[in-house]
Amino acid sequence: MSIKAGIINVTGYAGMELARILRSHSGVELIAVTGRSAAGEQLDEYLPHLDRMGLPIVEQDELDDVDVAFSALPHKASAEACVAMLGKNARVVDIAADFRLHNVEEYETWYQPHPAPSFLEEAVYGLPELHRDQIKEARLIANPGCYPTGALLGLAPLVKEKLIEPNVIVDSKSGVSGAGRSLSQTVHFSEANENVSAYGLSGHRHLPEITQELHEIDPSQKWAVTFTPHLIPMTRGILSTIYVTPVDGRLPASPEGAQRLRDLYEDYYAAEPFVRVTKTPPQTKQTSGSNMTQVYPVMDQRTGRIIIVTALDNLVKGAAGQAIQNMNLMFGAPETEGLEEFALFP
């Protein structure tokens, strides 16, 4: 199988990472890349770390004859590009947020008027561990946000088995690459270095995405999620610490309950190639550059609460790697193809 692929907006961090990973994918030929500010330049000259890619950066309307298009544009612009590529009979993976929320009113509350609301019903939320069968048949994938990926993979086993109360706290720390390449005061080196800051306390755009997917797993609950992201002075990675309370009697605060908790996670993720249940709390460097999410569930036997820690690379499993995992499923390729590199450590 040879899948002809194109990347819309290769000059952003997610677009660059797509090109890097696709280079080693045996079943993909990357035939075209676009970049709004770099059209006309050679990819490996504009981005020297993508050495010998041998591709010109073209205008967006020149992207034709691809089997799959990855859109790494900002929201709104991404929706418009995705619709255009669907009109050219390509299958599309949207790394932006435009098709993640099923409800148009919810989307417009958190973003802006939706440029293509008629496609929301068709789009499939691209978290393979939750929606693998739908992804295989889809022509439009809404790649999940980086924060929701870690939160949902941490919560899914407990939610699926109806083992926790619906009040959930997700505390997440992210490296500065999650903010993209556009410079702002908060990610300026002298502002971010040796500094930690919380943001989005009145509501973050990834919050409704987390709540939506928890409701899909267990619609019987009215999920109340407190989500607080933090910016920390590193380039890549997201570490999420999740706090939940078990339903009375289901998972006792005892060594037996702690073992049942661990067994639940190990059984749930036993067949998943990109989720690893760890024996020690994960660290972001242990996932840097890889498509792996590490998950560590533990019972606090003093309080009866459950704590789940997850770690992932926000540019790989949180963006480009997950997009390629989705593409593999869409085209019947081995799900792990091109994605089996170990993390870069240290």
Side-chain angles (χ1 to χ4, degrees):
M1 173 188 294
S2 180
I3 305 166
K4 293 182 179 180
I7 300 171
I8 303 171
N9 195 33
V10 74
T11 56
Y13 288 139
M16 296 177 198
E17 199 71 345
L18 279 164
R20 182 185 71 84
I21 298 171
L22 288 173
R23 175 69 181 269
S24 63
H25 194 300
S26 64
V28 171
E29 180 186 3
L30 182 60
I31 66 169
V33 297
T34 81
R36 294 181 292 182
S37 61
E41 301 199 39
Q42 287 294 121
L43 177 60
D44 49 10
E45 293 178 3
Y46 189 80
L47 299 171
H49 73 285
L50 298 176
D51 186 37
R52 292 172 289 177
M53 292 291 284
L55 283 171
I57 302 174
V58 300
E59 297 284 356
Q60 190 171 305
D61 59 7
E62 297 179 68
L63 187 62
D64 294 307
D65 301 322
V66 297
D67 301 310
V68 61
F70 298 94
S71 177
L73 286 165
H75 58 266
K76 187 177 184 296
S78 191
E80 294 164 353
C82 289
V83 171
M85 294 310 301
L86 290 169
K88 296 181 180 182
N89 296 317
R91 299 173 87 172
V92 175
V93 181
D94 182 22
I95 295 179
D98 287 328
F99 299 103
R100 293 174 187 163
L101 299 179
H102 304 325
N103 184 285
V104 66
E105 290 82 11
E106 186 84 343
Y107 174 90
E108 292 180 351
T109 296
W110 292 91
Y111 293 92
Q112 72 278 306
H114 201 290
S118 62
F119 288 86
L120 288 176
E121 186 175 345
E122 176 181 355
V124 173
Y125 189 76
L127 190 57
E129 293 78 10
L130 297 185
H131 300 297
R132 184 170 279 108
D133 290 341
Q134 299 98 307
I135 290 166
K136 290 177 181 179
E137 304 300 323
R139 67 171 192 148
L140 173 60
I141 295 294
N143 218 56
C146 49
Y147 283 126
T149 296
L152 291 167
L153 292 177
L155 288 164
L158 291 165
V159 176
K160 180 74 172 177
E161 297 301 318
K162 302 181 184 295
L163 290 174
I164 57 172
E165 300 290 347
N167 294 308
V168 175
I169 297 173
V170 181
D171 180 296
S172 297
K173 280 86 173 173
S174 175
V176 295
S177 63
R181 294 192 80 190
S182 298
L183 186 62
S184 67
Q185 182 173 322
T186 56
V187 297
H188 194 287
F189 178 81
S190 59
E191 301 278 345
N193 187 46
E194 298 187 46
N195 190 30
V196 179
S197 58
Y199 64 99
L201 277 75
S202 60
H204 187 278
R205 287 169 170 173
H206 285 177
L207 174 60
E209 194 177 328
I210 298 169
T211 305
Q212 169 186 280
E213 292 302 307
L214 293 179
H215 181 77
E216 294 238 338
I217 301 170
D218 180 7
S220 69
Q221 296 280 20
K222 186 176 181 180
W223 294 98
V225 179
T226 299
F227 168 55
T228 305
H230 300 74
L231 185 69
I232 66 174
M234 66 181 186
T235 301
R236 291 174 179 253
I238 291 178
L239 187 81
S240 293
T241 306
I242 305 163
Y243 304 90
V244 295
T245 302
V247 174
D248 287 344
R250 298 295 305 276
L251 281 172
S254 65
E256 179 189 12
Q259 187 60 53
R260 284 171 55 192
L261 173 66
R262 181 162 189 88
D263 290 345
L264 169 69
Y265 274 77
E266 290 182 343
D267 290 346
Y268 190 90
Y269 286 123
E272 291 296 341
F274 295 118
V275 182
R276 187 78 64 245
V277 181
T278 61
K279 294 184 178 179
T280 57
Q283 304 169 24
T284 55
K285 275 197 173 183
Q286 294 167 348
T287 63
S288 183
S290 84
N291 200 52
M292 187 64 66
T293 298
Q294 294 192 358
V295 179
Y296 179 74
V298 64
M299 173 74 72
D300 183 344
Q301 296 181 38
R302 297 171 299 109
T303 63
R305 294 191 187 94
I306 294 170
I307 304 168
I308 310 104
V309 183
T310 68
L312 55 81
D313 187 323
N314 57 293
L315 295 179
V316 188
K317 183 60 173 173
Q322 185 142 264
I324 292 167
Q325 187 180 353
N326 282 317
M327 178 203 70
N328 286 339
L329 290 167
M330 294 167 81
F331 286 87
E335 187 171 343
T336 59
E337 182 63 39
L339 297 169
E340 296 185 286
E341 292 294 329
F342 288 119
L344 301 172
F345 190 93

